[in-house]
Amino acid sequence: LKQVSSGKTSTLYRKGQIVFHEGSPPLACFCVYSGRVKLYRTDLDGKHQIVSIAGPSDLIGHHALWLQKPHAVTAQMLEDGYLCVIERSTLTQLLERDSGLALELLKRTTQELEDTQARLADRSHRSARSRLACALLRLWESRGADGKGRTPDHILVSRQDLADLIGTAQETAIRLLAELKEIKAVSARGSRITVIRPDLLRERSEPPY
Amino acid sequence: LKQVSSGKTSTLYRKGQIVFHEGSPPLACFCVYSGRVKLYRTDLDGKHQIVSIAGPSDLIGHHALWLQKPHAVTAQMLEDGYLCVIERSTLTQLLERDSGLALELLKRTTQELEDTQARLADRSHRSARSRLACALLRLWESRGADGKGRTPDHILVSRQDLADLIGTAQETAIRLLAELKEIKAVSARGSRITVIRPDLLRERSEPPY
DNA sequence: CGAAAGATTGACTGAGTTCAACTGAAGTGG
DNA sequence: CCACTTCAGTTGAACTCAGTCAATCTTTCG
């Protein structure tokens, strides 16, 4: 995939920009070169559920391509970044040529499926409290370099995105985050959340509570 | 996959029998020839979340094989049925030989991923009421022949399985099912649930409520 | 027929949603 | 440089869905 990306020109996408919309027909898929992209579903009440957050070297928008159906999710940039556009025809050729690629994609997709199944199980059986702790840990552990190769000890997520990720109302996410600030596990100034005590988060991410 | 199955001997598995356990190392995967298999995760409190229900021609247990990790789910027979065992080595050979197979699996897995993502979104934003209606519809629409080619208008699921499927306590599932009996959308004697008015179910499966 | 498993109902409780008001930081234009 | 809009984040209070516990009732099956 990296080879494909490098051969192609990548395009700049701005923070907040929509890459593709739920319900729109799939014309191409995208390989993330830099920046993060949130993929979310929208229900009839306009509520969002973040399905995954893609980062560098992740492929997005390909599901709809395989299934020959409209996109089931909307992809929106969480920060400025470059995406490499891969046309449907290009991808088809690649798959036919390199059989290893299909296996690699199968592996990735399977991993993503297991992750989603795990989240599904957690969603009903764990409290929002433990889900928040868990989500913060994941975001923290997968936080990328900030552009100049420095790895910061904070993450950048809005309260709403945090809520959409763990599946609660924004107010709940805020209240639970306040608890974490209370016990000095994290600190926050705006959407800049600093993880101070990952061990405390890990403790809270276990059920019950 | 059907070709593979037919070439192999299938083994009888009894209702309630465990095919493989969460946490156990993957030795082989299975192709369902007849009967249905529930795949579920177990959390620390011993609660189950049914991740999917596999039927004839579905492949199960392959995730752990690709990922070279222990099974993330437990597979248990919902009724008597035959499964065809496919050894790891056999599968590897097949994948190398037939590149189309990898694509087919990729497609299936992607579809399953999208389904699971949809359920994840529903779980937090839709009421248990609508989830139950939705689950009943799915079960009803995908109910198979009953052995003699007859397609019955009822489904056979225990209350507990229904609850584990939609992610509620059994009592909640029962109470909501009672509502559906009340409005004559379904009737039930034991775990034999007859769908009378699919239209009413469809209506209730829409949010809100 | 009787035990064991599965289904049902009631009472109580609490986590999380909703609504609504308020604060604070960040622009923007006069 | 300051009033003015705007948007993200906070907080309080009322409400409600769904979980838990516990006591039956029913169906299934040996």
Coordinates of all heavy atoms in Angstrom, one line a residue, chain A residues 47 128 168 171-172 175 209, chain C residues 14-20:
Chain A
K47 N -27.4 11.9 15.3 CA -26.3 11.5 16.2 C -25.3 10.7 15.5 O -25.6 9.9 14.6 CB -26.9 10.7 17.4 CG -27.7 11.5 18.3 CD -28.3 10.6 19.4 CE -29.3 11.4 20.2 NZ -30.1 10.5 21.0
A128 N -20.2 3.6 30.9 CA -19.6 4.6 30.1 C -18.2 5.0 30.7 O -17.3 5.4 30.0 CB -20.5 5.8 30.0
T168 N -21.9 8.0 24.1 CA -22.7 8.6 25.1 C -23.0 10.0 24.7 O -22.6 10.5 23.7 CB -21.8 8.7 26.4 OG1 -20.8 9.7 26.2 CG2 -21.3 7.4 26.9
E171 N -22.5 15.5 27.4 CA -22.5 15.8 28.8 C -22.0 14.7 29.7 O -21.2 15.0 30.6 CB -23.9 16.2 29.2 CG -24.5 17.4 28.6 CD -25.3 17.1 27.3 OE1 -24.8 16.2 26.6 OE2 -26.3 17.8 27.0
T172 N -22.3 13.5 29.3 CA -21.8 12.4 30.1 C -20.3 12.3 30.0 O -19.6 12.1 31.0 CB -22.5 11.1 29.6 OG1 -23.9 11.2 29.7 CG2 -22.0 9.9 30.5
R175 N -18.7 14.9 32.1 CA -18.8 14.6 33.6 C -17.8 13.5 34.0 O -17.1 13.6 35.0 CB -20.2 14.2 34.0 CG -21.2 15.4 34.2 CD -22.5 14.9 34.7 NE -23.5 15.0 33.6 CZ -24.3 16.1 33.5 NH1 -24.2 17.1 34.4 NH2 -25.2 16.2 32.5
Y209 N -17.1 -1.0 36.7 CA -16.7 0.4 36.8 C -15.2 0.6 36.4 O -14.9 0.5 35.3 CB -16.8 0.9 38.3 CG -18.2 1.0 38.7 CD1 -19.0 -0.1 39.1 CD2 -18.9 2.2 38.6 CE1 -20.3 0.0 39.4 CE2 -20.2 2.4 39.0 CZ -20.9 1.3 39.3 OH -22.2 1.4 39.7
Chain C
dG14 P -29.3 2.8 44.1 OP1 -28.2 2.4 45.0 OP2 -30.1 4.0 44.3 O5' -28.6 3.0 42.7 C5' -28.2 1.9 41.9 C4' -28.0 2.4 40.5 O4' -29.3 2.5 39.8 C3' -27.3 3.7 40.4 O3' -26.5 3.7 39.3 C2' -28.5 4.7 40.2 C1' -29.4 3.8 39.3 N9 -30.8 4.2 39.2 C8 -31.5 4.8 40.3 N7 -32.8 5.0 39.9 C5 -32.8 4.6 38.6 C6 -33.9 4.7 37.7 O6 -35.0 5.0 37.9 N1 -33.5 4.2 36.4 C2 -32.3 3.7 36.1 N2 -32.1 3.3 34.9 N3 -31.3 3.7 37.0 C4 -31.6 4.1 38.2
dA15 P -25.0 4.4 39.4 OP1 -24.2 3.6 40.3 OP2 -25.2 5.8 39.7 O5' -24.5 4.2 37.9 C5' -24.7 3.0 37.2 C4' -25.2 3.4 35.8 O4' -26.6 3.9 35.9 C3' -24.4 4.4 35.1 O3' -24.2 4.0 33.8 C2' -25.2 5.7 35.2 C1' -26.6 5.2 35.2 N9 -27.6 6.0 36.0 C8 -27.4 6.5 37.2 N7 -28.5 7.1 37.7 C5 -29.4 7.0 36.7 C6 -30.7 7.4 36.5 N6 -31.4 8.1 37.5 N1 -31.4 7.1 35.4 C2 -30.7 6.3 34.5 N3 -29.5 5.9 34.5 C4 -28.9 6.2 35.6
dG16 P -23.2 4.8 32.8 OP1 -22.6 3.9 31.9 OP2 -22.3 5.7 33.7 O5' -24.2 5.7 32.0 C5' -25.2 5.1 31.2 C4' -26.2 6.1 30.7 O4' -27.0 6.7 31.8 C3' -25.5 7.4 30.1 O3' -26.2 7.6 28.9 C2' -25.8 8.5 31.1 C1' -27.1 8.0 31.7 N9 -27.4 8.6 32.9 C8 -26.6 8.9 34.0 N7 -27.2 9.5 35.0 C5 -28.5 9.6 34.6 C6 -29.7 10.1 35.2 O6 -29.8 10.6 36.3 N1 -30.8 10.1 34.4 C2 -30.8 9.6 33.1 N2 -32.0 9.6 32.5 N3 -29.8 9.0 32.5 C4 -28.7 9.1 33.3
dT17 P -25.8 8.7 27.8 OP1 -25.4 8.0 26.6 OP2 -25.0 9.7 28.5 O5' -27.2 9.4 27.5 C5' -28.4 8.5 27.4 C4' -29.6 9.3 27.3 O4' -30.0 9.8 28.7 C3' -29.5 10.6 26.5 O3' -30.6 10.7 25.6 C2' -29.4 11.7 27.5 C1' -30.2 11.2 28.7 N1 -29.7 11.7 30.0 C2 -30.6 12.2 30.9 O2 -31.8 12.3 30.7 N3 -30.0 12.6 32.1 C4 -28.7 12.6 32.5 O4 -28.3 13.0 33.5 C5 -27.8 12.0 31.5 C7 -26.3 11.9 31.8 C6 -28.3 11.6 30.3
dT18 P -30.7 11.8 24.5 OP1 -31.4 11.2 23.4 OP2 -29.4 12.4 24.3 O5' -31.6 13.0 25.2 C5' -32.7 12.6 26.0 C4' -33.3 13.8 26.6 O4' -32.7 14.1 27.9 C3' -33.2 15.1 25.8 O3' -34.4 15.8 25.8 C2' -32.1 15.9 26.6 C1' -32.3 15.4 28.0 N1 -31.2 15.5 28.9 C2 -31.4 15.9 30.2 O2 -32.4 16.3 30.7 N3 -30.2 15.9 31.0 C4 -28.9 15.6 30.6 O4 -28.0 15.6 31.4 C5 -28.8 15.1 29.2 C7 -27.5 14.7 28.7 C6 -29.9 15.1 28.4
dC19 P -34.7 17.0 24.7 OP1 -36.0 16.7 24.2 OP2 -33.5 17.1 23.8 O5' -34.7 18.2 25.7 C5' -35.5 18.1 26.9 C4' -35.2 19.3 27.8 O4' -34.0 19.1 28.6 C3' -35.0 20.6 27.0 O3' -35.7 21.6 27.7 C2' -33.5 20.8 27.1 C1' -33.2 20.2 28.5 N1 -31.8 19.8 28.7 C2 -31.3 19.8 30.0 O2 -32.0 20.3 30.9 N3 -30.0 19.4 30.3 C4 -29.3 18.9 29.3 N4 -28.0 18.6 29.5 C5 -29.8 18.9 27.9 C6 -31.0 19.3 27.7
dA20 P -35.9 23.1 27.1 OP1 -37.3 23.3 27.0 OP2 -35.0 23.2 25.8 O5' -35.3 24.0 28.1 C5' -35.0 23.6 29.5 C4' -33.9 24.4 30.1 O4' -32.7 23.7 30.2 C3' -33.6 25.7 29.3 O3' -33.4 26.8 30.2 C2' -32.3 25.3 28.6 C1' -31.7 24.5 29.7 N9 -30.6 23.6 29.2 C8 -30.4 23.0 28.0 N7 -29.3 22.3 27.9 C5 -28.7 22.5 29.1 C6 -27.5 22.0 29.6 N6 -26.7 21.2 28.9 N1 -27.2 22.3 30.9 C2 -28.0 23.1 31.6 N3 -29.2 23.6 31.2 C4 -29.5 23.2 29.9

